[in-house]
């Protein structure tokens, strides 16, 4: 079945992606269909696997200070900085609601 | 000081017009509550007002910063005040290609805390990613333990005084749902004048233990008392220094109200509570706010609110509108965390890679409740005395040092410690460490008293003098002010005779 406009809008808000046009939405639909093939496998009584690492040993590190003190290097990546602080916009700027948006989804 | 239990019956009184600063109709001024709960929990009939009673329900989520040298998943240092972004590794800044490596000490801290809170330790626990966008969370997700945390199903016992009387203490218990390991976020400094946020990642990645308490509490005092006991336990274990002022212990309260026999009401989450005092205030305010809202025919939104300490009220939080979808997923870079006990200990594994729950259990220090009992047993003091001794940092040690150095019975010493020394400290807002009167000086003084060289009134005068901290010994002060008790029979007779003679002449 098709993905609803509300669901698409919800996804756009959560993941900060813009489906942009009908081709983008189509690709999403196809991706979901492709993944849905997993439902055909009977997994009754089978423990889900999280990761191929699940049988590996989780390495425990000693509590020593071995890193840090590289402020200059880290700030090189910052577009804007103020006295060794990274600069970000004031709080999360909420995306406009579906009705207010000027997006492709409006028309669909 | 022990928290006061919400004893007795509270009656609802409507207050119209008495505006609450900052918002429209709000709860009535401090001191009047519609809350009815007593130290035994549950609701008490509201009595004459005729309105159905309300049962407030309070649950807590407490984040305690783990006391460790380095962070949970990286080797950068954990320290409170440092130049911005100086304690940040590439992993903490979420640069591509970096991976989390778990800190052994953080796991041990969580196991200790779980054991101290009577939890079952999960021998296999898992890490997950919790996704949300915020400038101080560079990865866009926090590594936490949502599915299977390290410890579950524990309990915490704490004490309250009924009706403000120290002599009537009651013990309550709150269930611990779980304890999980997770990363702390960085710090955001909001610069509203320039419409920007400054981000410091020094705190990003520091290890946290989140302790989730079930909604077994019913008011601000209970919440504060439970948190205080947890704080003492953490400090005793050393797993966290739990200093609220330095952000090492942060509390979020979940509050709802309902009528007896009905299902739980919609709950709100109250954040931004920065001290124990504000915790009680914030919880009680929110309870009142909800009751008033509902009695006025309104509804409670399932929202997140912040406590405004200046105004003494809770306000909706700006960035938390609408229900969050955290899209939890297993952390693919971390295999399950396996813990062992003496039975399951593998033979041929590297010692450093193995955490033995039993080994940790055997080495747990005496918890506050045990220490209190020992003090009562050993020294014959009252439970409420030992409660105060442990509640004040250093006071128990001070008491024991004095007892060791004086012949005076502990039951008498405790009076001097609590009534005299402690009240002096409180009056001048000093900690035990800052006391101008050391345990040695006090012991000296009490010895003079015990040997009957001075009277108790004189001893109090000497203490007042010692308090000035001028470096004089008790004996010196006694000599200076001629406070010695006269022992000479003849001299006493002469004085009495003189007084009698003087009377006769009038």
């Amino acid at each position: 079945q098709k993905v609803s406009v509300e669901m698409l809008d919800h996804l756009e808000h959560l993941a900060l992606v813009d489906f942009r046009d009908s081709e983008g939405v189509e690709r999403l639909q196809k991706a979901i269909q492709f993944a849905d093939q997993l439902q055909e496998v009977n997994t009754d009584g089978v423990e889900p696997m999280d990761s191929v690492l699940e049988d590996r040993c989780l390495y425990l590190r000693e509590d020593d200070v071995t890193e840090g003190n590289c402020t200059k290097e880290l700030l090189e990546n910052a577009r804007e900085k103020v006295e060794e602080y990274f600069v970000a916009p004031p709080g999360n700027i909420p995306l406009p609601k579906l009705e207010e948006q000027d997006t492709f989804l409006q028309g669909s | 000081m022990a928290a006061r239990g919400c004893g007795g019956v509270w009656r609802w009184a409507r207050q119209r017009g008495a505006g609450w600063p900052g918002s429209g109709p709000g709860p009535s001024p401090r001191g009047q509550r519609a809350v009815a709960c007593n130290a035994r929990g549950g609701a008490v009939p509201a009595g004459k007002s005729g309105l159905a009673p309300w049962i407030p329900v309070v649950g807590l989520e407490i984040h305690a910063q783990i006391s460790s040298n380095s962070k949970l998943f990286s080797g950068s240092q954990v320290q409170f005040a440092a130049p911005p972004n100086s304690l940040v590794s590439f992993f903490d800044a979420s640069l591509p290609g970096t991976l989390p490596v778990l800190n052994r000490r953080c796991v041990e801290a969580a196991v200790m805390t779980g054991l101290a809170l009577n939890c079952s330790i999960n021998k296999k626990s898992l890490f997950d990613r919790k996704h949300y966008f915020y400038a101080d969370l560079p990865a866009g997700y926090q590594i936490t333990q949502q599915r299977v945390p390290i410890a579950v199903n524990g309990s915490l016992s704490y004490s309250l005084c009924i009706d403000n009387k120290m002599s009537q203490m009651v013990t309550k218990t709150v269930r611990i749902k779980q304890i999980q390991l997770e990363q702390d976020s960085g710090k955001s400094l909001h610069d509203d004048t320039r419409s920007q946020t400054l981000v410091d990642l020094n705190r990003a990645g520091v290890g946290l233990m989140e302790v989730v308490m079930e909604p077994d509490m019913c008011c601000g005092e209970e919440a504060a008392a439970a948190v205080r006991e947890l704080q003492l336990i953490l400090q005793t274990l050393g797993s966290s220094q739990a200093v609220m002022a330095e952000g090492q212990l942060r509390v979020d309260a979940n509050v709802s109200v309902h009528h007896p026999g009905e299902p739980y009401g919609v709950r709100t989450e109250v954040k931004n509570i920065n001290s124990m005092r504000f915790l009680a205030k914030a919880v009680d305010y929110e309870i009142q706010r909800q009751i008033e809202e509902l009695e006025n025919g309104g509804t409670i939104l399932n929202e997140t609110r912040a406590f405004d300490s200046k105004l003494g009220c809770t306000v909706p939080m700006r960035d938390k509108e609408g229900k969050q979808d955290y899209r939890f997923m297993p952390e693919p870079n971390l295999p399950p965390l396996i813990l062992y006990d003496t039975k399951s200990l593998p033979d041929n594994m590297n010692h450093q890679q193995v955490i033995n729950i039993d080994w940790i259990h055997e080495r747990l220090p005496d918890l506050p409740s045990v220490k209190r009992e020992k003090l009562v047993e050993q020294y014959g003091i009252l439970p409420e005395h030992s409660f105060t001794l442990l509640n004040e940092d250093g006071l128990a040690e001070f008491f024991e040092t004095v007892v060791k150095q004086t012949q005076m019975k502990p039951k008498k010493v405790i009076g001097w410690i609590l009534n005299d020394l402690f009240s002096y400290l409180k009056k001048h807002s000093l900690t035990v460490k800052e006391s101008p009167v050391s345990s040695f000086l006090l012991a000296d003084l009490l010895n003079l008293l015990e040997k009957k060289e001075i009277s108790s009134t004189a001893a109090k005068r000497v203490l007042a003098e010692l308090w000035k901290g001028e470096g004089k010994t008790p004996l010196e002060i006694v000599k200076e002010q001629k406070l010695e008790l006269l022992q000479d029979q003849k001299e006493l007779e002469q004085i009495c005779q003189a007084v009698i003679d003087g009377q006769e002449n009038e």
Side-chain angles (χ1 to χ4, degrees):
Chain A
Q1 69 266 30
K2 296 201 82 169
V3 183
S4 70
V5 176
E6 288 72 34
M7 173 61 78
L8 287 169
D9 182 56
H10 185 54
L11 288 173
E12 286 197 334
H13 272 80
L14 285 182
L16 296 182
V17 298
D18 178 355
F19 289 108
R20 209 161 290 274
D21 55 17
S22 64
E23 201 188 310
V25 177
E26 257 303 296
R27 188 169 307 143
L28 173 68
Q29 303 266 161
K30 289 220 170 83
I32 296 172
Q33 268 176 283
F34 180 77
D36 272 345
Q37 292 178 91
L38 289 171
Q39 311 283 11
E40 295 175 29
V41 181
N42 187 342
T43 56
D44 291 340
V46 180
E47 272 299 304
M49 175 199 257
D50 298 336
S51 140
V52 293
L53 295 175
E54 68 179 19
D55 288 331
R56 295 276 192 97
C57 192
L58 176 53
Y59 179 75
L60 295 172
R61 182 177 56 84
E62 278 303 310
D63 186 26
D64 298 318
V65 176
T66 55
E67 304 175 276
N69 260 313
C70 48
T71 319
K72 224 166 109 193
E73 267 175 294
L74 291 174
L75 288 174
E76 268 171 22
N77 284 333
R79 196 183 65 167
E80 257 188 86
K81 44 182 174 260
V82 167
E83 280 179 32
E84 299 182 325
Y85 287 94
F86 293 101
V87 178
N92 283 347
I93 303 164
L95 285 178
K97 294 203 187 20
L98 182 57
E99 310 83 63
E100 302 153 1
Q101 276 187 65
D102 183 27
T103 71
F104 159 76
L105 289 182
Q106 277 283 53
S108 64
Chain B
M1 54 82 244
R4 177 169 56 88
C6 18
V9 171
W10 300 98
R11 295 215 287 118
W12 172 240
R14 281 200 168 183
Q15 293 258 333
R16 287 202 176 278
W20 194 260
S23 57
S28 29
R30 207 156 48 106
Q32 296 199 287
R33 303 176 186 220
V35 166
C37 67
N38 54 31
R40 286 175 289 283
V44 173
K48 296 180 192 145
S49 63
L51 293 166
W54 290 101
I55 304 182
V57 175
V58 181
L60 299 175
E61 280 160 32
I62 298 155
H63 292 87
Q65 242 184 37
I66 297 174
S67 175
S68 61
N69 300 326
S70 56
K71 296 184 181 179
L72 182 60
F73 292 117
S74 69
S76 38
Q77 192 182 1
V78 176
Q79 197 181 286
F80 180 53
N85 292 306
S86 62
L87 308 176
V88 185
S89 67
F90 286 5
F91 170 77
D92 303 328
S94 193
L95 298 188
T98 55
L99 292 171
V101 186
L102 183 55
N103 179 340
R104 189 196 157 88
R105 158 68 189 161
C106 293
V107 180
E108 289 169 345
V111 172
M112 277 197 285
T113 307
L115 291 170
L117 295 176
N118 307 306
C119 295
S120 311
I121 306 294
N122 283 328
K123 293 224 194 71
K124 176 173 166 185
S125 61
L126 306 171
F127 289 100
D128 304 293
R129 290 185 182 180
K130 177 178 178 180
H131 298 81
Y132 62 93
F133 290 113
Y134 211 68
D136 60 24
L137 196 72
Y141 61 84
Q142 174 201 38
I143 301 179
T144 176
Q145 293 187 301
Q146 192 252 356
R147 288 167 298 158
V148 188
I150 191 167
V152 290
N153 295 338
S155 66
L156 169 68
S157 294
Y158 59 97
S159 299
L160 287 177
C161 315
I162 312 181
D163 295 334
N164 235 353
K165 299 188 202 136
M166 276 299 292
S167 50
Q168 285 192 56
M169 293 187 68
V170 68
T171 305
K172 308 212 80 181
T173 308
V174 57
R175 291 167 297 159
I176 304 290
K177 177 157 184 259
Q178 65 190 54
I179 300 176
Q180 68 214 43
L181 281 167
E182 56 183 40
Q183 295 172 301
D184 207 343
S185 66
K187 268 211 195 131
S188 298
L189 302 169
H190 297 285
D191 182 358
D192 293 321
T193 48
R194 282 181 211 78
S195 205
Q196 63 190 12
T197 300
L198 303 180
V199 178
D200 173 14
L201 298 178
N202 282 348
R203 200 185 66 182
V206 171
L208 295 176
M209 292 176 288
E210 176 172 338
V211 179
V212 182
M213 290 185 181
E214 299 277 22
D216 296 341
M217 294 158 285
C218 71
C219 61
E221 277 111 340
E222 289 195 354
V227 172
R228 176 65 181 134
E229 187 67 10
L230 175 66
Q231 189 182 41
L232 286 174
I233 291 173
L234 292 172
Q235 289 168 346
T236 303
L237 293 172
S239 55
S240 170
Q241 285 159 48
V243 176
M244 276 182 98
E246 287 185 13
Q248 292 168 343
L249 191 70
R250 308 195 296 258
V251 182
D252 298 332
N254 294 311
V255 179
S256 74
V257 297
H258 64 279
H259 289 303
E262 288 181 12
Y264 279 17
V266 174
R267 69 177 154 105
T268 61
E269 186 185 12
V270 182
K271 292 176 105 76
N272 195 42
I273 300 168
N274 299 326
S275 76
M276 214 67 84
R277 226 185 69 226
F278 289 155
L279 171 58
K281 267 192 185 179
V283 166
D284 287 335
Y285 175 91
E286 184 58 18
I287 291 171
Q288 286 190 74
R289 185 193 74 86
Q290 289 193 12
I291 288 175
E292 226 191 78
E293 184 68 35
L294 292 170
E295 300 229 343
N296 282 335
T299 53
I300 305 298
L301 297 171
N302 174 217
E303 59 178 351
T304 304
R305 298 176 73 89
F307 180 64
D308 185 323
S309 47
K310 285 196 206 96
L311 298 175
C313 63
T314 63
V315 293
M317 267 180 103
R318 193 170 44 125
D319 283 332
K320 304 247 174 184
E321 291 134 20
K323 204 141 183 283
Q324 288 271 30
D325 181 342
Y326 293 115
R327 287 158 290 143
F328 285 100
M329 67 176 253
E331 169 54 62
N333 294 321
L334 294 170
L337 172 61
I338 309 292
L339 303 173
Y340 300 93
D341 54 25
T342 338
K343 267 194 268 180
S344 64
L345 210 52
D347 298 314
N348 44 8
M349 247 181 99
N350 180 1
H351 199 79
Q352 195 269 344
Q353 288 300 314
V354 169
I355 291 184
N356 183 342
I357 302 168
D358 291 335
W359 192 91
I360 294 175
H361 205 154
E362 284 160 23
R363 282 155 188 78
L364 287 179
D366 276 348
L367 294 182
S369 52
V370 173
K371 279 194 200 169
R372 287 186 198 115
E373 270 172 39
K374 283 191 173 172
L375 286 173
V376 170
E377 230 186 88
Q378 195 177 351
Y379 299 111
I381 57 178
L382 295 173
E384 49 264 32
H385 294 159
S386 75
F387 190 93
T388 310
L389 283 182
L390 251 69
N391 209 40
E392 195 66 27
D393 195 26
L395 194 57
E397 291 76 19
F398 193 101
F399 167 70
E400 291 194 277
T401 312
V402 172
V403 165
K404 286 196 179 80
Q405 294 174 79
T406 175
Q407 296 90 25
M408 184 183 278
K409 286 214 174 78
K411 277 192 194 171
K412 275 181 82 179
V413 175
I414 193 75
W416 284 93
I417 299 281
L418 294 180
N419 301 333
D420 297 276
L421 181 85
F422 190 46
S423 58
Y424 265 120
L425 290 173
K426 287 283 116 191
K427 215 166 87 178
H428 296 92
S429 298
L430 293 174
T431 63
V432 174
K433 286 192 183 78
E434 297 165 337
S435 171
V437 181
S438 70
S439 51
F440 306 107
L441 284 179
L442 185 59
D444 268 353
L445 174 59
L446 296 182
N447 280 338
L448 290 176
L449 182 55
E450 195 64 8
K451 285 189 275 189
K452 296 205 189 340
E453 287 183 31
I454 54 176
S455 69
S456 128
T457 327
K460 289 201 199 278
R461 276 177 63 180
V462 175
L463 184 57
E465 193 64 31
L466 282 173
W467 195 260
K468 295 182 190 163
E470 289 166 0
K472 299 187 207 145
T473 67
L475 198 56
E476 284 167 1
I477 297 171
V478 165
K479 293 229 150 63
E480 242 175 60
Q481 298 193 20
K482 295 199 176 35
L483 294 168
E484 311 93 319
L485 277 177
L486 293 170
Q487 308 281 17
D488 188 330
Q489 183 83 349
K490 265 215 169 117
E491 212 185 330
L492 284 168
E493 274 181 23
Q494 281 175 359
I495 294 173
C496 292
Q497 193 60 50
V499 172
I500 294 169
D501 292 340
Q503 291 282 23
E504 278 178 355
N505 289 338
E506 280 171 21

